[in-house]
């Protein structure tokens, strides 16, 4: 039988593991040697093992469709994506720099508003953003940090340059899959870990608990809970997993109430008990029906009152989604220069703001070549990928842009990098991105690597799990030789 | 501990115990029927009677036969008491209380769910069914083993044990009720020949045969068997033992007084049951009454810990 790798060809895309068709990169040489040396049947058997493993451990996500909600096994590709440690250290530095600036920005706009007064950003961009919450004006959360948990999406272009595609600051998900992917690789390919120096990822739950504890410096042993929208949320598995691993109390809005003293209480078998820190996995819109959407059944009436009175810490802080806005994204490099007086280490994807007359004209003139995104959506919804879209779709967006230019940005269509991926009976290049997770409390912690998402459909650039994406274990590889064991 | 989580783990244990008992009962009953002549009073429908499911059965099926009874009790998605629905409920309760349970417990329960899902179509095949039921029993025992050896003795543990023993008393009483009716004096000659097999089956369906033989002798006498299953203080599936153990675990929980009162009154009644020379009908009434009290006790537990009045701050 022919080797599954024989016809592998990244065809002009930047390949995460290969210099060219047959030439591995220096840090991926041993990894590829291992996989390419495997018999097809042996490889297929490991693939089956990994699928069974995910299924038995109940690692699922929910897909919503007209036919009803289905719990699907998490799609996992067994071939890891590797990044050399030297490159990663620089990326990590860039991510820390970025989150510092973003947090200073949020603190600034809900307080002095200096960045606007100084003319660096136009007021309407900030105050008209959907994520801006006037109810948060005047607040300073613990340590002045608003975005305690951030999941930035990084992508690589054709020439290998790494860009930040977006900063997910509201309720980023995926970290449990990063941890589960590693666990699965360790169970299915234990031999690999003897060949290479791979940074462990399992510190995350502990770091999360530390960060959340640091949000109540006044208490020695705060009660910390994870607020989930419930079992029907597509990320419920992750909520339960993180609560279990980090020792948080998993609960839903109905388990909480705000007392006359403005403290938040949970309903326990002892009666009501005070809650000090809430890691919420519910959007601002739903968190407090007294303040935001009155029809929300998921949140806790009065919780904003309690937060404003400093009687409970909420991570991420309400209102932090303002920095998640794609128009505001375009200003992040300016923020870094303004707040930190540093040059950005990581690049933004070049972005045209349709609110500016001349940039809108450029966008309209090149629409079929561009990616157009609404300012305030996530999960890959509501966007146009010009080169892959039908003519009607392009015309539809032309109208949307003319009607409501403030709400859109456009970016060049990046030729996302690829990585070898198991596709049925062959190995083929598939586009990938990377979502590292950044924790900010008293200190900043970045996961070594993160979650690599992969577009499993040939040619597709959409990596979201809700739209046919899969994931890979991500290795930060130290190229120094592995010390031999006795 | 959250009230909601208390409720979930309590029911997790009830379903786990129910799944194990149901699997064992159906398994043992099948082997009993192989030993009995055809056309006797014990048949496949006896099983539906034990689960109080006469009406539910005839709403769905016209005739009584092995296949329909087995499908109904084990696989019917429309009958809430079917084994497959109990396993779904078990899994859902585990999934929503994962943060207080050992990680491997969830994996085992999920594997049980996958196993049963894949094998349900084979319930009509006796050999495969018997094998499946044995595997289910083993998986349940594995889960109890994880709970015993990997869990701290915390409130979650106490609720698990409470749920288990409450369910066990309920199931034991149902099986006793049915069996006593079948061997009542009024039954015909032919059935009396098989009495020995019946008592052995009763003991085996409660996993009690060996423990019975160790304290009695191997002769299976109605009075002795019934007294063993009702009052023995050392066998963990007897009514008396399970009812007493339930009290021990409830006692660890906060504000347990009113619930304990109820539990104690049931325990006293169980300890006073004397079924020697008692007509089968009386035993049936006793067990009926016991099941009603258990439902009341469950309601007490629910209102005391799971849905108390939280309106006062």
């Amino acid at each position: 039988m022919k080797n599954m790798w024989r016809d592998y060809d990244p065809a002009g895309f930047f390949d995460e593991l290969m210099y060219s068709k047959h030439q591995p990169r220096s840090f991926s040489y041993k990894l590829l040697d291992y996989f390419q040396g495997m018999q097809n049947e042996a490889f297929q058997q490991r693939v089956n093992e990994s699928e069974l493993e995910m299924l038995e451990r109940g690692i699922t996500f929910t897909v919503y469709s007209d036919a009803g909600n289905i719990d699907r096994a998490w799609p996992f590709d067994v071939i890891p994506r590797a990044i050399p440690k030297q490159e990663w250290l620089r990326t990590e530095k860039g991510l820390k720099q970025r989150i510092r600036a973003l947090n200073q920005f949020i603190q600034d706009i809900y307080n002095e508003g200096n960045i606007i007064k100084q003319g660096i950003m136009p007021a309407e961009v900030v105050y008209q953003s959907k994520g801006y919450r006037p109810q948060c004006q005047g607040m300073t959360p613990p340590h002045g940090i608003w975005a305690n948990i951030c999941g930035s999406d990084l992508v690589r272009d054709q020439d290998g340059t790494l860009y930040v595609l977006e900063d997910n600051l509201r309720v980023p998900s995926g970290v449990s899959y990063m941890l589960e992917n590693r666990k699965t690789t360790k169970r299915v390919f234990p031999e690999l870990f003897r060949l290479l120096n791979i940074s462990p990822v399992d510190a995350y739950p502990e770091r999360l608990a530390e960060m959340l504890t640091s949000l109540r410096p006044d208490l020695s042993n705060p009660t910390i809970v994870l607020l989930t929208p419930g079992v029907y949320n597509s990320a419920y598995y992750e909520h339960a997993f993180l609560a279990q691993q980090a020792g948080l109390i998993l609960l839903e809005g109905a388990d909480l109430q705000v007392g006359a003293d403005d403290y938040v209480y949970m309903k326990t078998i002892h009666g009501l008990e005070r809650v000090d820190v809430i890691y919420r996995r519910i959007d601002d819109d739903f968190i407090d029906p007294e303040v935001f959407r009155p029809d929300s059944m998921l949140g806790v009436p009065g919780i904003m009152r309690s937060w404003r009175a400093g009687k409970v810490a909420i991570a991420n802080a309400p209102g932090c989604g303002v920095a998640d806005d794609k128009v505001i994204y375009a200003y992040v490099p300016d923020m870094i220069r303004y707040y930190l007086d540093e040059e950005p280490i990581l690049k933004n994807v070049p972005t045209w703001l349709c609110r500016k007359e001349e940039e809108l004209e450029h966008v309209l003139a090149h629409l079929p070549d561009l990616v157009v995104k609404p300012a305030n959506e996530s999960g890959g919804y509501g966007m146009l990928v010009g080169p892959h879209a039908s003519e009607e779709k392009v015309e539809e967006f032309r109208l949307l842009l003319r009607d409501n230019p403030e709400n859109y940005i456009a970016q060049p269509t990046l030729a996302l990098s690829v990585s070898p991926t198991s596709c049925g009976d062959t190995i083929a290049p598939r586009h990938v991105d990377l979502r590292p997770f950044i924790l900010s409390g008293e200190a900043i912690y970045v996961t070594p690597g993160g979650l690599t998402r992969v577009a499993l459909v040939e040619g597709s650039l959409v990596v979201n799990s809700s739209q046919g994406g899969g994931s890979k274990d991500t290795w930060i590889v130290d190229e120094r030789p592995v010390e031999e064991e006795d | 501990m959250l009230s909601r989580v208390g409720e979930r783990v309590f029911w997790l244990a009830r379903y786990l115990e129910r799944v194990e008992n149901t699997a064992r009962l159906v398994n043992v009953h099948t082997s009993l029927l192989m030993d009995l002549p055809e056309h006797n009073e014990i048949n496949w429908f006896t099983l539906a009677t034990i689960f109080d499911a006469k009406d539910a059965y005839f709403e769905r099926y016209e005739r009584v036969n092995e296949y329909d009874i087995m499908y109904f009790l084990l696989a019917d998605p429309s009958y809430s008491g079917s084994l497959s629905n109990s396993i779904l409920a078990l899994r859902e309760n585990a999934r929503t209380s994962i943060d207080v349970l050992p990680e491997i417990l969830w994996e085992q329960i999920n594997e049980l769910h996958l196993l049963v899902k894949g094998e349900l179509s084979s319930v009509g095949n006796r050999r495969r069914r018997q094998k499946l039921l044995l595997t289910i029993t083993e998986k349940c025992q594995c889960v109890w083993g994880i709970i015993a050896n990997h869990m701290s003795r915390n409130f979650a543990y106490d609720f698990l044990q409470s749920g288990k023993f409450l369910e066990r008393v309920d199931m034991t009483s149902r099986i006793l009720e049915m069996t006593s009716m079948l061997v009542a004096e009024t039954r015909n000659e032919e059935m009396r020949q098989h009495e020995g097999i019946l008592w052995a089956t009763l003991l085996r369906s409660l996993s009690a045969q060996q423990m019975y033989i160790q304290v009695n002798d191997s002769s299976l006498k109605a009075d002795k068997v019934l007294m063993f299953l009702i009052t023995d203080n050392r066998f963990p599936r007897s009514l008396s033992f399970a009812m007493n153990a339930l009290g021990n675990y409830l006692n660890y929980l906060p504000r347990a007084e009113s619930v304990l009162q109820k539990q104690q009154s049931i325990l006293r009644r169980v300890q006073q049951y004397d079924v020697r020379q008692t007509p089968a009908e009386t035993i049936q009434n006793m067990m009926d009454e016991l099941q009603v009290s258990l439902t009341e006790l469950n309601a007490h537990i629910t209102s005391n810990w799971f849905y108390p009045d939280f309106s006062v701050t």
Side-chain angles (χ1 to χ4, degrees):
Chain A
M1 205 187 323
K2 101 179 177 199
N3 189 290
M4 299 171 87
W5 291 78
R6 205 184 64 184
D7 297 332
Y8 186 81
D9 183 3
F13 290 108
F14 183 93
D15 193 299
E16 296 289 338
L17 302 185
M18 306 285 239
Y19 276 119
S20 63
K21 264 189 195 185
H22 302 297
Q23 177 64 42
R25 296 182 183 276
S26 61
F27 57 86
S28 61
Y29 168 72
K30 284 182 184 167
L31 167 66
L32 287 168
D33 207 38
Y34 173 87
F35 278 106
Q36 292 175 342
M38 272 179 110
Q39 296 287 327
N40 292 3
E41 297 86 27
F43 177 76
Q44 211 52 54
Q45 196 187 339
R46 306 285 182 105
V47 171
N48 296 343
E49 272 174 36
S50 81
E51 280 168 9
L52 192 63
E53 174 88 20
M54 290 281 180
L55 203 61
E56 286 188 345
R57 302 227 306 278
I59 303 164
T60 60
F61 70 103
T62 314
V63 181
Y64 302 95
S65 72
D66 299 336
N69 303 340
I70 320 150
D71 259 353
R72 285 233 189 109
W74 177 247
F76 170 70
D77 180 68
V78 297
I79 306 170
R81 182 255 191 101
I83 300 167
K85 189 162 187 180
Q86 281 312 308
E87 186 200 1
W88 178 252
L89 291 176
R90 184 179 165 275
T91 307
E92 185 183 294
K93 223 169 132 188
L95 289 167
K96 286 185 175 173
Q97 177 194 55
R98 199 168 167 100
I99 196 67
R100 279 191 292 137
L102 284 165
N103 271 309
Q104 290 194 30
F105 164 72
I106 307 171
Q107 172 68 14
D108 183 19
I109 59 151
Y110 285 121
N111 289 278
E112 294 81 12
N114 288 329
I115 197 163
I116 294 159
K117 288 180 197 154
Q118 303 274 323
I120 314 241
M121 278 179 78
E124 65 274 19
V125 164
V126 174
Y127 299 125
Q128 283 170 18
S129 159
K130 262 203 237 168
Y132 174 75
R133 307 286 179 183
Q135 297 88 342
C136 299
Q137 272 297 338
M139 273 297 292
T140 297
H143 313 293
I145 304 291
W146 293 70
N148 306 101
I149 300 126
C150 169
S152 294
D153 288 342
L154 305 179
V155 293
R156 228 193 270 277
D157 196 5
Q158 201 138 19
D159 62 2
T161 312
L162 203 62
Y163 295 95
V164 179
L165 185 64
E166 48 189 69
D167 306 284
N168 296 292
L169 299 177
R170 286 172 287 188
V171 284
S173 63
V175 74
S176 62
Y177 299 115
M178 170 189 88
L179 297 167
E180 292 289 10
N181 287 354
R182 175 61 57 85
K183 212 186 276 175
T184 303
T185 313
K186 279 166 133 180
R187 288 200 200 177
V188 180
F189 297 103
E191 313 88 339
L192 270 174
F193 291 80
R194 284 183 59 171
L195 302 175
L196 293 154
N197 256 322
I198 304 157
S199 305
V201 293
D202 46 13
Y204 184 83
E206 195 187 334
R207 294 306 183 101
L208 174 66
E210 264 170 36
M211 183 280 287
L212 292 168
T213 307
S214 84
L215 300 186
R216 289 304 295 266
D218 51 327
L219 301 175
S220 63
N221 195 11
T223 299
I224 309 174
V225 303
L226 190 157
L227 176 60
T228 170
V231 71
Y232 298 109
N233 186 273
S234 58
Y236 181 79
Y237 172 81
E238 168 155 310
H239 306 160
F241 174 90
L242 286 176
Q244 184 190 50
Q245 299 289 314
L248 316 176
I249 297 166
L250 179 67
L251 46 68
E252 297 171 25
D255 296 317
L256 291 176
Q257 66 185 45
V258 176
D261 56 3
D262 283 354
Y263 280 102
V264 178
Y265 293 91
M266 59 180 175
K267 300 169 184 174
T268 79
I269 57 168
H270 294 273
L272 295 172
E273 282 181 38
R274 210 179 80 195
V275 167
D276 305 308
V277 179
I278 299 176
Y279 173 20
R280 51 103 174 201
R281 295 293 297 253
I282 296 184
D283 265 326
D284 282 355
D285 270 340
F286 298 99
I287 200 170
D288 186 346
E290 278 182 12
V291 178
F292 302 116
R293 280 177 62 158
D295 59 337
S296 168
M297 307 293 288
L298 304 174
V300 186
I303 199 173
M304 282 294 286
R305 205 173 350 115
S306 181
W307 177 68
R308 288 203 58 107
K311 290 181 170 170
V312 71
I314 300 179
N316 288 343
C320 83
V322 64
D324 208 331
D325 182 295
K326 294 192 174 62
V327 176
I328 288 175
Y329 159 89
Y331 293 91
V332 175
D334 294 333
M335 289 177 202
I336 293 171
R337 292 183 195 102
Y338 175 68
Y339 293 113
L340 308 178
D341 197 20
E342 294 172 10
E343 270 309 300
I345 299 169
L346 294 173
K347 287 187 177 172
N348 254 21
V349 179
T351 301
W352 291 282
L353 296 172
C354 301
R355 58 186 300 278
K356 297 185 181 171
E357 185 73 29
E358 67 282 9
E359 298 194 12
L360 176 64
E361 288 315 314
H362 173 90
V363 171
L364 289 171
H366 297 89
L367 209 46
D369 302 325
L370 300 176
V371 175
V372 180
K373 296 176 179 175
N376 219 288
E377 291 284 345
S378 65
Y381 291 104
M383 56 187 264
L384 171 80
V385 183
H388 294 214
S390 64
E391 230 169 89
E392 295 91 63
K393 191 88 186 162
V394 172
E395 290 316 305
E396 185 190 314
F397 266 79
R398 197 178 296 282
L399 292 176
L400 287 171
L401 288 178
R402 289 246 183 252
D403 283 353
N404 200 358
E406 297 80 18
N407 197 35
Y408 290 92
I409 58 135
Q411 293 168 340
T413 311
L414 298 178
L416 293 194
S417 63
V418 295
S419 198
T421 302
S422 156
C423 300
D425 53 7
T426 183
I427 308 293
R430 290 290 181 263
H431 294 294
V432 293
D433 79 349
L434 177 65
R435 178 178 287 185
F437 297 88
I438 304 118
L439 298 174
S440 313
E442 209 167 14
I444 302 179
Y445 169 77
V446 182
T447 53
L451 179 69
T452 290
R453 298 185 299 173
V454 51
L456 293 172
V457 179
E458 187 171 2
S460 168
L461 297 171
V462 185
V463 294
N464 305 75
S465 55
S466 51
Q467 299 183 49
S471 73
K472 286 167 166 288
D473 189 11
T474 308
W475 290 0
I476 303 305
V477 177
D478 192 341
E479 290 184 77
R480 285 171 305 181
V482 180
E483 283 172 36
E484 280 297 324
E485 290 167 61
D486 299 326
Chain B
M1 167 177 229
L2 285 178
S3 293
R4 188 179 43 76
V5 173
E7 185 184 21
R8 300 246 162 102
V9 294
F10 177 79
W11 278 101
L12 184 161
R14 286 205 69 163
Y15 281 115
L16 182 59
E17 180 71 11
R18 192 175 295 176
V19 167
E20 183 186 336
N21 289 337
T22 307
R24 186 184 304 105
L25 179 64
V26 172
N27 193 309
V28 171
H29 193 81
T30 304
S31 85
L32 168 68
L33 290 189
M34 293 189 234
D35 285 337
L36 292 181
E38 262 182 78
H39 310 299
N40 65 75
E41 288 153 59
I42 299 182
N43 53 36
W44 294 106
F45 196 69
T46 310
L47 283 173
T49 322
I50 291 177
F51 289 101
D52 258 347
K54 256 185 216 172
D55 298 343
Y57 183 82
F58 286 117
E59 279 164 24
R60 294 168 176 80
Y61 307 89
E62 283 174 17
R63 268 182 288 265
V64 174
N65 56 46
E66 179 176 357
Y67 181 82
D68 283 349
I69 287 276
M70 285 300 127
Y71 183 79
F72 173 68
L73 289 176
L74 301 180
D76 193 335
S78 77
Y79 168 49
S80 65
S82 69
L83 186 85
S84 60
N85 276 330
S86 290
I87 289 174
L88 281 181
L90 166 66
R91 180 177 185 266
E92 201 56 16
N93 279 297
R95 192 159 93 98
T96 47
S97 50
I98 237 172
D99 55 322
V100 299
L101 301 172
E103 202 179 343
I104 39 174
L105 187 142
W106 157 248
E107 283 182 31
Q108 287 298 326
I109 290 178
N110 193 47
E111 277 180 34
L112 172 64
H113 158 75
L114 293 171
L115 168 90
V116 172
K117 209 169 87 175
E119 278 290 311
L120 272 183
S121 53
S122 69
V123 295
N125 177 321
R126 248 191 219 184
R127 193 178 63 82
R128 287 181 63 184
R129 182 176 75 225
Q130 293 294 80
K131 212 172 145 217
L132 173 68
L133 292 171
L134 273 181
T135 317
I136 291 173
T137 320
E138 283 167 13
K139 269 268 185 253
C140 292
Q141 286 158 355
C142 169
V143 174
W144 286 121
I146 293 168
I147 292 169
N149 293 302
H150 297 258
M151 244 186 114
S152 297
R153 272 37 179 175
N154 52 24
F155 292 132
Y157 183 84
D158 300 330
F159 275 117
L160 283 170
Q161 296 298 336
S162 305
K164 173 175 85 177
F165 283 113
L166 182 58
E167 181 68 28
R168 188 173 290 177
V169 177
D170 187 74
M171 187 60 135
T172 301
S173 77
R174 284 171 192 282
I175 294 178
L176 283 174
E177 180 181 347
M178 197 58 226
T179 320
S180 68
M181 286 309 286
L182 292 171
V183 292
E185 287 84 341
T186 54
R187 304 288 139 156
N188 64 39
E189 249 346 272
E190 192 195 325
M191 276 308 293
R192 219 156 307 147
Q193 290 174 31
H194 300 286
E195 238 191 282
I197 300 177
L198 280 180
W199 293 118
T201 302
L202 169 61
L203 286 168
R204 276 200 292 132
S205 65
L206 292 165
S207 192
Q209 192 171 19
Q210 259 176 300
M211 295 300 130
Y212 170 86
I213 289 171
Q214 281 177 25
V215 289
N216 295 284
D217 49 45
S218 55
S219 73
L220 300 172
K221 293 278 167 359
D223 286 355
K224 277 190 184 170
V225 171
L226 287 174
M227 286 309 280
F228 180 77
L229 291 176
I230 293 172
T231 60
D232 190 273
N233 283 326
R234 285 172 298 179
F235 180 63
R237 309 189 94 84
S238 81
L239 290 182
S240 196
F241 184 102
M243 204 58 221
N244 187 51
L246 171 59
N248 291 342
Y249 289 104
L250 292 175
N251 197 24
Y252 290 126
L253 296 166
R255 303 180 292 105
E257 299 74 20
S258 68
V259 180
L260 275 172
Q261 262 175 26
K262 179 79 188 164
Q263 174 271 336
Q264 287 293 322
S265 81
I266 301 175
L267 175 62
R268 275 195 300 276
R269 209 175 331 137
V270 168
Q271 285 168 335
Q272 284 159 12
Y273 284 154
D274 187 344
V275 290
R276 283 168 295 190
Q277 313 299 323
T278 310
E281 252 171 58
T282 315
I283 298 180
Q284 194 192 13
N285 288 339
M286 283 175 176
M287 295 302 130
D288 267 346
E289 191 192 80
L290 175 59
Q291 284 155 30
V292 171
S293 322
L294 292 175
T295 308
E296 286 164 12
L297 178 59
N298 194 82
H300 266 67
I301 290 173
T302 303
S303 63
N304 192 55
W305 287 299
F306 308 152
Y307 297 95
D309 183 7
F310 285 114
S311 57
V312 202
T313 311

